[in-house]
Structures are given as structure tokens and as C-alpha cells.
Amino acid sequence: MNDFEYMRLALAEAEKAAAAGDVPVGAIVVLEGRVIAVGWNRREEQGDPTAHAEVEALRAASRQVGGWRVEGILYVTQEPCPMCAGALVNARIKRLVFGCDNPKAGAVKTLYTIPTDVRLNHRMEVTGGILAEECAALLRSFFVSLRAEP
């Protein structure tokens, strides 16, 4: 599979978040060519501010690999926030692939550059803009429908 196919899987996870009334962001972790974990935003469902798609996927991946060093590739539909970017560094993710930019909280290229900051003890390869329009459209659609509710 390629980046676009994996991002489509992450988009399917984002749809689960939207269906549950949460911001539609989805993530998957790939290790050695296979998906080992998935996650989607579950903050509303769990009442947990840390239940972002990336963190959910990393938690599941850590269980799969049996430790905190995940060292795989994380695909996520929106540029990670500072918390998630820090978690990716701590999990020793080797490569991050994201869909659309996050103008309000992006910590990969928009506001901060956490995954590539040379001051940190781990850095990763970053690829952005994969299926960016589809990822952004899902977010826009969610917020339009949210604002339209009485």
C-alpha cells in the first residue's frame, strides 16, 4: 500500500469520530507494512482531553508491540497538535504522514515544528498534504453541520 491508501484508512477512522459527534480526525499506525493500530478522536465519548486520534492509535500500537517504543509510521488526517506531536516523539515514531494543515494548533509545520526540532532527542521524517483536500473537507463539513444544529 502507499501513502494515499493508508490515508484513506485514516479517513475511515475520522468518519467514526464524526459519527460519534467528535471532531473527525483519524489515525493509523503502520509497522512493517501492516496496520497495527487505529484511533479516532474520542474526547466527547470518553470525556478525556487527551483522547485525540493520534494518542488513541499510539496507545493501541504500544499494546501491540509490547512497549512504548512504537517506531512505526503514523498516518493522521490533520496536522497534530503540540500534545500529539510530543507523544509521537516520545513513541519514537519514524515517520509521520498527515493530511491537512491545522492552522489553529498545528505543531508539525504550521505553528511549531516539534517532530523535526533538533533540540529534541528524537526526530522523524514528515510528509504532509496527503489527501489534504479530502481531510479538510471532512472537517469543514463537520463544523458546518455542528453550527447548523439548534
Side-chain angles (χ1 to χ4, degrees), residues 41-71:
N41 272 358
R42 300 176 90 169
R43 293 180 310 165
E44 297 298 331
E45 175 187 329
Q46 295 182 3
D48 179 353
T50 69
H52 288 203
E54 301 94 323
V55 172
E56 293 291 304
L58 287 176
R59 287 176 179 154
S62 293
R63 288 190 295 273
Q64 286 296 311
V65 301
W68 61 269
R69 285 185 182 90
V70 175
E71 299 181 345

Side-chain angles (χ1 to χ4, degrees), residues 2-8 10 25-30 54 72-80 88 93-100 108 115 124-132 135:
N2 62 38
D3 287 348
F4 297 95
E5 293 167 316
Y6 284 125
M7 190 60 73
R8 288 192 199 295
V25 177
I28 66 167
V29 177
V30 175
E54 301 94 323
I73 302 169
L74 186 126
Y75 290 83
V76 62
T77 56
Q78 184 181 45
E79 177 185 5
L88 297 174
I93 290 295
K94 291 187 178 195
R95 182 171 178 238
L96 165 65
V97 181
F98 69 90
C100 61
V108 176
M124 67 198 70
E125 180 185 341
V126 174
T127 304
I130 302 297
L131 300 181
C135 295

Side-chain angles (χ1 to χ4, degrees), residues 88-147:
L88 297 174
V89 169
N90 283 309
R92 305 301 192 264
I93 290 295
K94 291 187 178 195
R95 182 171 178 238
L96 165 65
V97 181
F98 69 90
C100 61
D101 293 350
N102 183 346
K104 294 186 178 184
V108 176
K109 73 168 209 162
T110 304
L111 301 177
Y112 307 100
T113 57
I114 292 171
T116 57
D117 190 322
V118 297
R119 297 170 296 179
L120 298 176
N121 64 335
H122 175 76
R123 285 163 298 289
M124 67 198 70
E125 180 185 341
V126 174
T127 304
I130 302 297
L131 300 181
E133 186 48 44
E134 290 92 331
C135 295
L138 182 59
L139 285 161
R140 276 193 305 272
S141 170
F142 174 79
F143 285 112
V144 164
S145 67
L146 192 65
R147 289 180 190 111

